[in-house]
Each structure stands twice: as structure tokens, then as C-alpha cells.
Amino acid sequence: AQSVTQLDSQVPVFEEAPVELRCNYSSSVSVYLFWYVQYPNQGLQLLLKYLSGSTLVKGINGFEAEFNKSQTSFHLRKPSVHISDTAEYFCAVSHDTGFQKLVFGTGTRLLVSP
Amino acid sequence: DTGVSQNPRHKITKRGQNVTFRCDPISEHNRLYWYRQTLGQGPEFLTYFQNEAQLEKSRLLSDRFSAERPKGSFSTLEIQRTEQGDSAMYLCASSFGTATNQPQHFGDGTRLSIL
């Protein structure tokens, strides 16, 4: 069975500072990895995905993430955050076989203040 | 691309009543998923359709929950005899094709509140 751990439930940061949101996963088979963002009272929007190939993936809104197979991690980073980045961020994993059931972490709330 | 549409956005009902939610996926998407999200948690998978076939429903929370996708277009999720614990956000997602790496596109969800 797969699982996802997001160790930080909340990350406060000042505007224009860098940020890293941590994600670790466990799985006995190969996986695909995703980061989604959720704004209040909205659904989830895909930020970026890792399927194969280069371990550094770039997404929308200036976010990027690095897949580290040995550490089973997929941390999300942004070099300079904006107030508008305040939201809930979810890391998710799916198998590379069968149907694509996403298993989500519990989320990290990013709070950007001026 | 009009996105995934879910109706209603909010539903308030009394305990014991039946509720039905609708999801309209992106038009060319053949796969459709339902998730439930409770406060402070990530979405939890419930069920999955490929076209009109419900291929995975073991995660539906009880026999009070059922889902349909007639004609492989829109889908409905019904909860019978609602309980307090059913209060949550119900999310629908869709994806295209049969490859397992296709990203899922989510709707804005239906928030259910049980009085």
C-alpha cells in the first residue's frame, strides 16, 4: 500500500522569501508523484507532476519539485513567494499500474505574510 | 475547456435524509473519480469509472453510498440515510485516456453539512 507524509501542517513565511514544503512517500512499486494546490472553497489545481526522466520538475506559478528515490521524497520549492501563494498544498502518489487512484498527504498550509 | 463542474456547491440537510450530487467531467475525459475530503485532511478516494463502467468501488464508505455514470458522461453520487459523519467536501475529478500517468482535473466540490 502507498502512503504520503507531509510533516509540516503549516509553514509561515514572509513575502519574497524562499519556501520548501516537504513530502515523503512509501510504496513497494514504482509511483507517479503530484503536487496540488487548494485555495479556500475550491477544488485542487495541479501544480506539477513527476512521471519519469529528469528528477527536477517545474510547474506553474514558479514552483518546482525534486524527486529523490533514495530518500523517497518529493519536496516542493519556490525561490520567492507571493501573498497569493497562501493556500493548502497537497502531495499525492499513484501507482504506475492499474487505475490511477491518488493517495494524498494531509496537506501543508502555506501562510505568506507581508 | 470548461473544467469539471459539480452541483450543488453546498448542501445542507437533516440527518437521515438522502442526498445526490452531480459531476460533469471535462467533455473528452473518459475516466471519472470521486473523493471525499474531511476538515484538515487530504482527499480520500471513493470510487472510479472508466466510461460508464464502475471499475473500483471497494472504497465507498458503506452501502449507503452509491455512484452511477450512465452513458459515460455525467456522474452522480448518492448518500442514503445521511449521518453526522458524512459531513465533508465531496470532490469529483476526471482524466483522459487509459494511461495511468494522466493528471486528474478536479472540480470545486460539493460541501455537505448534516444538521
Coordinates of all heavy atoms in Angstrom, one line a residue, chain B residues 22-82:
Chain B
R22 N -24.0 15.9 -8.3 CA -23.8 15.6 -9.7 C -22.4 16.2 -10.1 O -21.9 17.2 -9.6 CB -24.8 16.4 -10.6 CG -24.6 16.2 -12.1 CD -25.6 16.9 -12.9 NE -25.3 17.0 -14.3 CZ -26.0 16.5 -15.3 NH1 -27.2 15.9 -15.0 NH2 -25.6 16.6 -16.5
C23 N -21.8 15.4 -11.0 CA -20.4 15.8 -11.5 C -20.5 15.8 -13.0 O -20.8 14.7 -13.6 CB -19.3 14.9 -11.0 SG -17.7 15.2 -11.8
D24 N -20.1 16.8 -13.7 CA -20.0 16.9 -15.2 C -18.5 17.0 -15.5 O -17.9 18.0 -15.2 CB -20.7 18.0 -15.8 CG -22.2 17.8 -15.8 OD1 -22.7 17.2 -16.7 OD2 -22.9 18.2 -14.8
P25 N -17.9 15.9 -16.0 CA -16.4 16.0 -16.3 C -16.1 16.8 -17.5 O -17.0 17.2 -18.2 CB -16.1 14.5 -16.5 CG -17.3 13.9 -17.1 CD -18.5 14.7 -16.4
I26 N -14.8 17.0 -17.7 CA -14.4 17.6 -19.0 C -14.8 16.7 -20.1 O -14.7 15.5 -20.0 CB -12.9 17.8 -19.0 CG1 -12.5 18.9 -17.9 CG2 -12.3 18.3 -20.3 CD1 -11.0 19.0 -17.6
S27 N -15.3 17.3 -21.2 CA -16.1 16.6 -22.2 C -15.4 15.3 -22.8 O -16.0 14.3 -23.0 CB -16.6 17.5 -23.3 OG -15.5 18.1 -23.9
E28 N -14.1 15.4 -23.1 CA -13.4 14.3 -23.7 C -12.8 13.3 -22.7 O -12.2 12.3 -23.1 CB -12.4 14.8 -24.7 CG -11.2 15.5 -24.0 CD -11.4 17.0 -23.9 OE1 -12.6 17.4 -23.9 OE2 -10.4 17.7 -23.7
H29 N -13.0 13.6 -21.4 CA -12.4 12.7 -20.4 C -13.3 11.4 -20.2 O -14.5 11.5 -19.9 CB -12.2 13.5 -19.1 CG -11.1 14.4 -19.1 ND1 -10.7 15.1 -18.0 CD2 -10.3 14.8 -20.1 CE1 -9.7 15.9 -18.3 NE2 -9.4 15.7 -19.6
N30 N -12.6 10.3 -20.3 CA -13.4 9.0 -20.1 C -13.3 8.5 -18.7 O -14.1 7.6 -18.3 CB -12.8 8.0 -21.1 CG -11.3 7.7 -21.0 OD1 -10.6 8.6 -20.6 ND2 -10.9 6.5 -21.2
R31 N -12.3 9.0 -17.9 CA -12.2 8.5 -16.5 C -12.8 9.5 -15.6 O -12.5 10.7 -15.7 CB -10.7 8.2 -16.2 CG -10.2 6.9 -16.9 CD -8.8 6.6 -16.5 NE -8.5 5.3 -16.9 CZ -7.3 4.6 -16.6 NH1 -6.5 5.2 -15.8 NH2 -7.1 3.4 -17.0
L32 N -13.5 9.0 -14.5 CA -14.1 9.9 -13.6 C -13.9 9.3 -12.2 O -14.1 8.1 -12.0 CB -15.6 10.1 -13.9 CG -16.3 11.1 -13.0 CD1 -17.4 11.8 -13.9 CD2 -16.9 10.5 -11.8
Y33 N -13.5 10.2 -11.2 CA -13.2 9.7 -9.9 C -14.0 10.5 -8.9 O -14.3 11.7 -9.1 CB -11.7 10.0 -9.6 CG -10.8 9.4 -10.6 CD1 -10.5 10.1 -11.8 CD2 -10.1 8.2 -10.4 CE1 -9.6 9.7 -12.7 CE2 -9.2 7.8 -11.3 CZ -9.0 8.5 -12.5 OH -8.1 8.0 -13.4
W34 N -14.4 9.9 -7.7 CA -15.0 10.6 -6.6 C -14.0 10.5 -5.4 O -13.5 9.4 -5.1 CB -16.3 10.0 -6.3 CG -17.4 10.4 -7.2 CD1 -18.0 9.7 -8.2 CD2 -18.2 11.6 -7.1 NE1 -19.0 10.4 -8.8 CE2 -19.2 11.6 -8.2 CE3 -18.2 12.8 -6.3 CZ2 -20.1 12.6 -8.4 CZ3 -19.1 13.8 -6.6 CH2 -20.0 13.7 -7.6
Y35 N -13.9 11.6 -4.7 CA -13.1 11.6 -3.5 C -13.9 12.3 -2.4 O -14.8 13.1 -2.7 CB -11.8 12.5 -3.7 CG -10.8 11.8 -4.6 CD1 -10.9 12.0 -6.0 CD2 -9.7 11.1 -4.1 CE1 -9.9 11.4 -6.8 CE2 -8.7 10.6 -5.0 CZ -8.8 10.7 -6.3 OH -7.9 10.2 -7.2
R36 N -13.5 12.1 -1.2 CA -14.1 12.8 0.0 C -13.0 13.4 0.8 O -11.9 12.8 1.0 CB -14.9 11.8 0.9 CG -15.6 12.5 2.0 CD -16.3 11.5 2.9 NE -15.4 10.9 3.9 CZ -15.8 10.4 5.0 NH1 -17.1 10.5 5.4 NH2 -15.0 9.8 5.9
Q37 N -13.2 14.7 1.2 CA -12.2 15.4 1.9 C -12.9 15.9 3.2 O -13.8 16.8 3.2 CB -11.7 16.6 1.1 CG -10.5 17.3 1.8 CD -10.0 18.4 1.0 OE1 -10.6 18.9 0.0 NE2 -8.7 18.9 1.3
T38 N -12.4 15.5 4.3 CA -12.9 16.0 5.6 C -11.9 17.1 6.1 O -10.8 17.2 5.6 CB -13.0 14.9 6.7 OG1 -11.7 14.2 6.7 CG2 -14.0 13.9 6.3
L39 N -12.3 17.8 7.1 CA -11.6 19.0 7.5 C -10.2 18.6 8.0 O -10.0 17.7 8.8 CB -12.4 19.7 8.7 CG -12.1 21.1 8.9 CD1 -12.4 22.0 7.7 CD2 -12.8 21.6 10.2
G40 N -9.2 19.3 7.4 CA -7.8 19.1 7.9 C -7.2 17.9 7.3 O -6.1 17.5 7.7
Q41 N -7.8 17.3 6.3 CA -7.3 16.0 5.7 C -7.2 16.2 4.2 O -7.8 17.1 3.6 CB -8.2 14.8 6.0 CG -8.4 14.5 7.5 CD -7.1 14.1 8.1 OE1 -6.3 13.3 7.5 NE2 -6.8 14.6 9.3
G42 N -6.4 15.3 3.6 CA -6.3 15.3 2.2 C -7.5 14.5 1.6 O -8.2 13.8 2.3
P43 N -7.8 14.7 0.3 CA -8.9 13.9 -0.3 C -8.6 12.4 -0.2 O -7.5 11.9 -0.2 CB -8.8 14.3 -1.8 CG -8.2 15.7 -1.7 CD -7.2 15.6 -0.6
E44 N -9.7 11.6 0.0 CA -9.7 10.2 0.2 C -10.5 9.6 -1.0 O -11.6 10.0 -1.2 CB -10.3 9.8 1.5 CG -10.5 8.4 1.8 CD -11.4 8.1 3.0 OE1 -12.1 9.1 3.4 OE2 -11.3 7.0 3.5
F45 N -9.9 8.7 -1.7 CA -10.5 8.0 -2.9 C -11.8 7.2 -2.5 O -11.8 6.5 -1.5 CB -9.5 7.1 -3.6 CG -10.1 6.3 -4.6 CD1 -10.3 6.8 -5.9 CD2 -10.4 4.9 -4.4 CE1 -10.9 6.0 -6.9 CE2 -10.9 4.1 -5.4 CZ -11.2 4.7 -6.6
L46 N -12.8 7.4 -3.3 CA -14.1 6.6 -3.0 C -14.3 5.6 -4.1 O -14.5 4.4 -3.9 CB -15.3 7.6 -2.9 CG -15.3 8.6 -1.8 CD1 -16.5 9.4 -1.9 CD2 -15.3 7.8 -0.4
T47 N -14.4 6.1 -5.4 CA -14.8 5.2 -6.5 C -14.3 5.8 -7.8 O -13.9 7.0 -7.9 CB -16.3 5.0 -6.5 OG1 -16.6 4.0 -7.5 CG2 -17.0 6.3 -6.9
Y48 N -14.3 4.9 -8.9 CA -13.7 5.3 -10.2 C -14.5 4.7 -11.3 O -15.0 3.5 -11.2 CB -12.3 4.8 -10.1 CG -11.7 4.4 -11.5 CD1 -11.4 5.4 -12.4 CD2 -11.4 3.1 -11.7 CE1 -10.8 5.0 -13.6 CE2 -10.8 2.7 -12.9 CZ -10.5 3.7 -13.9 OH -9.9 3.3 -15.1
F49 N -14.7 5.4 -12.4 CA -15.4 5.0 -13.6 C -14.5 5.1 -14.8 O -13.8 6.1 -14.9 CB -16.7 5.8 -13.9 CG -17.8 5.6 -12.9 CD1 -17.8 6.4 -11.7 CD2 -18.8 4.7 -13.1 CE1 -18.8 6.2 -10.8 CE2 -19.8 4.6 -12.2 CZ -19.8 5.3 -11.0
Q50 N -14.5 4.1 -15.6 CA -13.9 4.3 -17.0 C -15.1 4.2 -17.9 O -15.7 3.1 -18.0 CB -12.9 3.2 -17.3 CG -12.2 3.5 -18.6 CD -10.9 2.8 -18.8 OE1 -10.0 2.9 -17.9 NE2 -10.8 1.9 -19.8
N51 N -15.4 5.3 -18.6 CA -16.6 5.4 -19.4 C -17.8 5.1 -18.4 O -17.9 5.7 -17.3 CB -16.6 4.5 -20.6 CG -15.5 4.8 -21.5 OD1 -15.3 6.0 -21.8 ND2 -14.7 3.8 -21.9
E52 N -18.7 4.2 -18.8 CA -19.9 4.0 -17.9 C -19.6 2.9 -16.9 O -20.5 2.7 -16.0 CB -21.1 3.7 -18.7 CG -21.1 2.4 -19.4 CD -20.4 2.5 -20.8 OE1 -19.8 3.5 -21.1 OE2 -20.4 1.5 -21.6
A53 N -18.5 2.2 -17.0 CA -18.2 1.1 -16.1 C -17.6 1.5 -14.8 O -16.6 2.2 -14.8 CB -17.3 0.1 -16.8
Q54 N -18.1 1.1 -13.7 CA -17.6 1.4 -12.4 C -16.6 0.3 -12.0 O -17.0 -0.8 -11.6 CB -18.7 1.5 -11.3 CG -18.2 2.0 -10.0 CD -19.4 2.2 -9.0 OE1 -20.5 1.7 -9.2 NE2 -19.1 3.0 -7.9
L55 N -15.3 0.6 -12.2 CA -14.3 -0.4 -12.1 C -13.7 -0.6 -10.7 O -13.0 -1.5 -10.4 CB -13.2 -0.1 -13.1 CG -13.6 -0.1 -14.6 CD1 -12.4 0.2 -15.5 CD2 -14.3 -1.3 -14.9
E56 N -14.0 0.4 -9.8 CA -13.4 0.2 -8.5 C -14.4 0.9 -7.5 O -14.6 2.2 -7.7 CB -12.1 0.9 -8.4 CG -11.5 0.9 -7.0 CD -11.4 -0.5 -6.3 OE1 -10.8 -1.4 -6.9 OE2 -11.9 -0.6 -5.2
K57 N -15.0 0.2 -6.6 CA -15.9 0.8 -5.7 C -15.7 0.3 -4.2 O -16.5 0.5 -3.4 CB -17.4 0.6 -6.1 CG -17.8 -0.8 -6.2 CD -19.3 -0.9 -6.7 CE -19.7 -2.3 -6.8 NZ -21.2 -2.4 -7.2
S58 N -14.6 -0.4 -4.0 CA -14.4 -1.0 -2.7 C -14.2 0.0 -1.6 O -14.3 -0.3 -0.4 CB -13.2 -1.9 -2.8 OG -12.0 -1.2 -3.1
R59 N -13.8 1.3 -2.1 CA -13.6 2.3 -1.1 C -14.8 3.1 -0.7 O -14.7 4.1 0.1 CB -12.5 3.2 -1.6 CG -11.1 2.5 -1.7 CD -10.6 2.1 -0.4 NE -9.2 1.6 -0.5 CZ -8.5 1.2 0.6 NH1 -9.0 1.4 1.8 NH2 -7.3 0.7 0.4
L60 N -15.9 2.9 -1.4 CA -17.1 3.5 -0.9 C -17.4 3.2 0.5 O -17.2 2.0 1.0 CB -18.3 3.1 -1.8 CG -18.4 3.7 -3.2 CD1 -19.4 3.1 -4.0 CD2 -18.6 5.2 -3.1
L61 N -17.7 4.2 1.3 CA -17.6 4.1 2.8 C -18.6 3.2 3.4 O -18.3 2.7 4.5 CB -17.7 5.5 3.3 CG -16.6 6.5 2.8 CD1 -17.0 7.9 3.0 CD2 -15.3 6.2 3.4
S62 N -19.7 2.9 2.8 CA -20.7 2.0 3.3 C -21.7 1.7 2.2 O -21.6 2.3 1.1 CB -21.4 2.5 4.6 OG -22.3 3.5 4.2
D63 N -22.6 0.8 2.5 CA -23.6 0.5 1.5 C -24.6 1.7 1.3 O -25.5 1.6 0.5 CB -24.3 -0.8 1.7 CG -25.0 -0.8 3.1 OD1 -25.0 0.2 3.8 OD2 -25.5 -1.9 3.5
R64 N -24.5 2.7 2.2 CA -25.3 3.9 2.0 C -24.9 4.8 0.8 O -25.6 5.7 0.4 CB -25.4 4.7 3.3 CG -25.9 4.0 4.5 CD -26.0 4.9 5.7 NE -24.7 5.4 6.1 CZ -24.2 6.6 5.9 NH1 -25.0 7.5 5.3 NH2 -23.0 6.9 6.4
F65 N -23.6 4.5 0.4 CA -23.0 5.3 -0.7 C -23.1 4.5 -2.0 O -22.8 3.4 -2.1 CB -21.5 5.6 -0.4 CG -21.3 6.6 0.7 CD1 -21.5 6.3 2.0 CD2 -20.8 7.8 0.4 CE1 -21.3 7.2 3.0 CE2 -20.5 8.8 1.4 CZ -20.8 8.5 2.7
S66 N -23.6 5.2 -3.0 CA -23.6 4.6 -4.4 C -23.3 5.7 -5.4 O -23.5 6.9 -5.2 CB -24.9 4.0 -4.6 OG -26.0 4.9 -4.6
A67 N -22.8 5.3 -6.5 CA -22.4 6.2 -7.6 C -22.8 5.6 -8.9 O -22.8 4.3 -9.1 CB -20.9 6.5 -7.6
E68 N -23.2 6.4 -9.9 CA -23.5 6.0 -11.2 C -22.9 6.9 -12.2 O -22.6 8.1 -12.0 CB -25.0 6.0 -11.4 CG -25.8 5.0 -10.6 CD -27.3 5.1 -10.9 OE1 -27.8 6.1 -11.4 OE2 -28.0 4.1 -10.5
R69 N -22.7 6.4 -13.4 CA -22.3 7.2 -14.6 C -23.0 6.7 -15.8 O -22.4 6.1 -16.7 CB -20.8 7.2 -14.7 CG -20.3 8.3 -15.7 CD -18.8 8.2 -15.9 NE -18.4 9.3 -16.8 CZ -17.2 9.3 -17.4 NH1 -16.3 8.3 -17.2 NH2 -16.9 10.4 -18.1
P70 N -24.3 6.9 -15.9 CA -25.0 6.4 -17.1 C -24.5 7.1 -18.4 O -24.2 8.3 -18.4 CB -26.4 6.9 -16.8 CG -26.3 8.0 -15.9 CD -25.1 7.7 -15.0
K71 N -24.3 6.2 -19.4 CA -23.9 6.7 -20.7 C -22.5 7.3 -20.7 O -22.0 7.9 -21.7 CB -24.8 7.8 -21.3 CG -26.3 7.3 -21.4 CD -27.2 8.3 -21.9 CE -28.6 7.8 -22.0 NZ -29.6 8.9 -22.4
G72 N -21.7 7.1 -19.6 CA -20.4 7.5 -19.6 C -20.1 9.0 -19.7 O -19.0 9.5 -20.0
S73 N -21.1 9.8 -19.3 CA -21.0 11.3 -19.3 C -20.9 11.8 -17.9 O -19.9 11.6 -17.2 CB -22.1 11.9 -20.1 OG -23.3 11.6 -19.6
F74 N -22.0 12.4 -17.4 CA -22.0 12.9 -16.0 C -22.1 11.7 -15.1 O -22.5 10.6 -15.4 CB -23.2 13.9 -15.8 CG -24.5 13.2 -15.8 CD1 -25.1 12.8 -14.6 CD2 -25.2 13.0 -17.0 CE1 -26.3 12.2 -14.6 CE2 -26.5 12.4 -17.0 CZ -27.0 12.0 -15.8
S75 N -21.8 12.0 -13.8 CA -21.9 11.0 -12.7 C -22.7 11.6 -11.6 O -22.7 12.8 -11.4 CB -20.5 10.6 -12.3 OG -20.6 9.7 -11.2
T76 N -23.3 10.7 -10.8 CA -24.0 11.1 -9.6 C -23.5 10.3 -8.4 O -23.1 9.1 -8.6 CB -25.5 11.0 -9.7 OG1 -25.8 9.6 -10.0 CG2 -26.1 11.9 -10.7
L77 N -23.4 10.9 -7.3 CA -23.0 10.2 -6.0 C -24.2 10.4 -5.1 O -24.6 11.6 -4.8 CB -21.7 10.8 -5.4 CG -21.3 10.2 -4.1 CD1 -20.8 8.8 -4.2 CD2 -20.2 11.1 -3.5
E78 N -24.7 9.3 -4.6 CA -25.9 9.4 -3.7 C -25.5 8.9 -2.3 O -24.8 7.8 -2.2 CB -27.0 8.6 -4.2 CG -28.3 8.6 -3.3 CD -29.5 7.8 -3.8 OE1 -29.3 7.0 -4.7 OE2 -30.6 8.1 -3.3
I79 N -25.9 9.5 -1.3 CA -25.8 9.1 0.1 C -27.1 8.9 0.7 O -27.9 9.9 0.7 CB -24.9 10.0 1.0 CG1 -23.6 10.4 0.3 CG2 -24.7 9.4 2.3 CD1 -22.8 11.5 1.0
Q80 N -27.5 7.7 1.1 CA -28.8 7.5 1.7 C -28.7 7.6 3.2 O -27.6 7.3 3.8 CB -29.3 6.1 1.3 CG -29.6 6.0 -0.2 CD -30.1 4.7 -0.6 OE1 -29.9 3.6 0.0 NE2 -30.9 4.6 -1.6
R81 N -29.8 8.0 3.9 CA -29.8 8.0 5.3 C -28.6 8.7 5.9 O -27.8 8.1 6.7 CB -30.0 6.6 5.9 CG -31.2 5.8 5.3 CD -31.3 4.4 5.8 NE -30.1 3.6 5.7 CZ -29.7 3.0 4.6 NH1 -30.5 3.1 3.5 NH2 -28.6 2.3 4.5
T82 N -28.4 9.9 5.6 CA -27.2 10.6 6.0 C -27.0 10.6 7.5 O -27.9 10.6 8.3 CB -27.2 12.1 5.4 OG1 -28.4 12.7 5.9 CG2 -27.0 12.1 3.9

